[in-house]
Amino acid sequence: GLPVFGETCPQYLFLSTDNLAEPDFEGAKYVCSTPLRPKEHQAALWRGLRTNDLQVVSTDHCPFCFVGQKELGRGDFSKIPNGLPGVENRMDLLHQAVVDGHISRRRWIEIACTTPARMFGIYPQKGTIAPGADADVVIYDPHATQTLSAETHHMNVDYSAYEGKRVTGQVETVLSRGEVVIDQRKYVGHAGHGTFVPRGLCQYLG
């Protein structure tokens, strides 16, 4: 009878121990906690997301560079900085899951937007498009294709955990509280626009 929730992260849905085994110390790029699991575990995670046994897909963001940081672990794996960069890729990877048939488009929005807002007690100010809510709106092209790469991402890190992965779907425009901050995939916002949103009590997730 206690309110509990379960989450997973993009790396556990799209990466595996195969990445840790990459040669020439490339596997150091994928050292994170909890560790990556065998690829066959992914089916159970997708099933949990469909059945609501897992309620959300979130991610931290640990942009340790490979050169000069992850490389500190050469000769002693315990010195590899722990964590992955990837906050920029979360929504596009989850849309690829829609394309691949793992989850529905409605479920994509629930696990990435609506449910987190409820968990942090900021719904319906956030997490929905409705009168009185903040006008946080993403216009998303579900047919655009892109290749994830360190050459094109905006994160300040020298590698991509998803280097070379082609995904379908890309953001076109983003409004934050009604103000355009991304226009035709270009950032047009300004410093100081952000505002503190105090969290409230977690709302029912069932």
Side-chain angles (χ1 to χ4, degrees), residues 10-178:
Q11 58 264 33
Y12 307 116
L13 297 167
F14 293 95
L15 304 174
S16 72
T17 50
D18 293 347
N19 298 102
L20 288 170
E22 290 182 9
D24 301 324
F25 204 64
E26 290 289 304
K29 295 176 177 178
Y30 305 97
V31 170
C32 62
S33 294
T34 53
L36 298 178
R37 307 300 194 199
K39 188 173 294 184
E40 55 265 28
H41 288 206
Q42 292 172 357
L45 294 176
W46 288 119
R47 184 169 60 250
L49 287 169
R50 288 191 297 271
T51 60
N52 205 39
D53 290 314
L54 296 173
Q55 285 78 32
V56 67
V57 176
S58 60
T59 184
D60 55 3
H61 179 59
C62 299
F64 298 111
C65 285
F66 181 69
V67 176
Q69 291 185 303
K70 288 284 189 176
E71 286 185 327
L72 293 172
R74 288 187 185 273
D76 183 352
F77 78 92
S78 69
K79 292 183 168 58
I80 300 171
N82 188 43
L84 299 178
V87 68
E88 181 174 340
N89 305 132
R90 181 176 62 108
M91 292 298 288
D92 292 328
L93 287 167
L94 288 176
H95 185 264
Q96 184 61 44
V98 174
V99 174
D100 292 342
H102 291 300
I103 55 175
S104 67
R105 182 162 284 122
R106 178 179 293 275
R107 188 63 177 151
W108 172 49
I109 300 303
E110 287 176 350
I111 63 180
C113 304
T114 307
T115 299
R118 290 183 182 276
M119 286 170 56
F120 286 100
I122 56 176
Y123 183 93
Q125 179 183 353
K126 304 287 187 182
T128 189
I129 300 173
D134 284 355
D136 298 335
V137 179
V138 175
I139 299 173
Y140 197 84
D141 183 347
H143 305 295
T145 58
Q146 58 173 314
T147 300
L148 305 183
S149 174
E151 295 296 318
T152 53
H153 70 205
H154 300 83
M155 299 178 288
N156 187 20
V157 60
D158 64 359
Y159 78 97
S160 170
Y162 308 98
E163 185 68 40
K165 182 175 179 61
R166 286 188 58 80
V167 297
T168 300
Q170 193 168 10
V171 168
E172 285 286 340
T173 303
V174 176
L175 284 77
S176 171
R177 303 196 318 276

